[in-house]
Amino acid sequence: MAFNGETIAFIGAGVMGEAIIAGLLRQRLLEARQIIASDPRAEHLEGLRAKYGIGATTNNVQAAEKADALVLAVKPQGMDVVLPELSGKVGAARLIVSIVAGVPLATIAERLGNPRIVRSMPNTPGQIGQGITVWTARVEVEAAQRKQAEKLLGALGEQIYATNEDFLDMATALSGSGPAYVFMFMEALIDVGVHMGFARRDAESLVTQTLLGSVLYARQSGLHSAQLRNQVTSPGGTTAAALHQMEKGGLRTVLSEGVWAAYRRSQALGKGGE
């Protein structure tokens, strides 16, 4: 086991917090008795306790003081409550992993009084072990704890280590928010299918399998995305007509501007922006 009997406290046990818990247990990186989840929703905690057999409390300080490692899994706005609450109470923790968007390493280290911080950006496909996480660490995080962070985040899927913290805000905009872009595209295609006359269930099957198969094919082929697109686009054909209309509508520009907006928002959150 990666954590050798150590206790991990999850400060925040929402969607992504639960995804990490489930992944750690699924991969047998630790046992349920090594996990404490803290969350303000008592009913939600009862559900987690029943489902996974973990410890649970509504008291963040109580959870943190018993832990060898912490995972900060609250909303960015929630850090204004959590960091002062835990300040000076987590000095013994050998590893603190944040999955909170936008909040810099230096801010967390200074406000908690513990420099052994890892900052990461996972995404929602991690709930089924198919996510990707970008992460980085302060120099104070020792090699053994970096290995633990790698295992912990790897429970969500693939992971990439970044030497520059600036890449975390970029990853927030590209892969962290990325599933929402895909879901919006999926929703739009399904609605078009229904408009053309397909039953919604059939349109959903056509679109979801097309997206899944396209991604798997792209990964296995090793080809550039432009090459893959050209394979489907015959001169003067239906695909060419569709792509021409999408380019006229500014699809690439709108997508690019959306990602940049998310990037700027991530940076603003790190500076305390509302």
Side-chain angles (χ1 to χ4, degrees):
M1 289 199 174
F3 290 88
N4 299 317
E6 297 177 26
T7 299
I8 300 180
F10 284 77
I11 309 302
V15 172
M16 291 310 300
E18 182 179 355
I20 298 174
I21 291 170
L24 290 170
L25 294 175
R26 183 172 58 247
Q27 296 185 24
R28 299 184 179 180
L29 294 172
L30 39 63
E31 297 177 359
R33 61 180 175 80
Q34 295 172 256
I35 299 174
I36 303 172
S38 178
D39 195 274
R41 301 164 294 169
E43 185 176 340
H44 177 63
L45 289 173
E46 284 302 316
L48 294 178
R49 184 186 284 117
K51 187 175 182 179
Y52 300 108
I54 62 175
T57 177
T58 57
N59 189 316
N60 289 335
V61 175
Q62 185 180 80
E65 287 181 334
K66 296 178 180 179
D68 302 293
L70 271 69
V71 177
L72 302 177
V74 299
K75 299 292 186 184
Q77 296 81 358
M79 292 289 265
D80 290 335
V81 174
V82 167
L83 293 181
E85 186 179 25
L86 297 182
S87 180
K89 299 180 176 66
V90 295
R94 291 190 286 276
L95 175 66
I96 299 172
V97 177
S98 170
I99 65 170
V100 183
V103 184
L105 288 166
T107 298
I108 300 171
E110 179 181 351
R111 297 183 70 182
L112 287 183
N114 186 327
R116 296 182 287 275
I117 313 293
V118 164
R119 180 183 168 194
S120 65
M121 176 43 57
N123 61 7
T124 53
Q127 294 177 74
I128 59 169
Q130 293 295 324
I132 188 163
T133 302
V134 178
W135 65 284
T136 193
R138 285 175 61 96
V139 295
E140 292 87 350
V141 180
E142 298 178 359
Q145 278 63 54
R146 287 175 185 246
K147 196 67 177 177
Q148 287 181 331
E150 184 178 304
K151 291 286 188 181
L152 186 150
L153 297 171
L156 295 171
E158 298 184 19
Q159 48 84 28
I160 297 174
Y161 180 79
T163 57
N164 188 330
E165 188 178 1
D166 290 343
F167 282 97
L168 271 294
D169 288 323
M170 299 178 198
T172 298
L174 192 60
S175 58
S177 298
Y181 316 150
V182 175
F183 298 147
M184 176 178 279
F185 183 66
M186 182 188 305
E187 181 184 13
L189 284 179
I190 291 169
D191 287 346
V192 170
V194 172
H195 189 213
M196 287 191 297
F198 281 110
R200 182 163 292 275
R201 179 179 299 178
D202 291 338
E204 288 174 349
S205 295
L206 287 166
V207 170
T208 54
Q209 185 57 39
T210 297
L211 289 173
L212 176 61
S214 298
V215 169
L216 293 175
Y217 176 56
R219 172 162 282 193
Q220 291 180 20
S221 73
L223 297 174
H224 189 280
S225 54
Q227 291 176 287
L228 293 167
R229 175 175 52 79
N230 286 335
Q231 285 184 353
V232 190
T233 311
S234 301
T238 58
T239 305
L243 294 177
H244 176 69
Q245 192 64 40
M246 291 177 188
E247 294 285 11
K248 281 178 62 179
L251 178 63
R252 291 175 189 262
T253 301
V254 169
L255 183 59
S256 176
E257 289 178 350
V259 174
W260 275 98
Y263 176 51
R264 290 190 293 269
R265 179 57 179 156
S266 181
Q267 292 178 310
L269 286 171
K271 297 173 183 176
E274 295 297 328

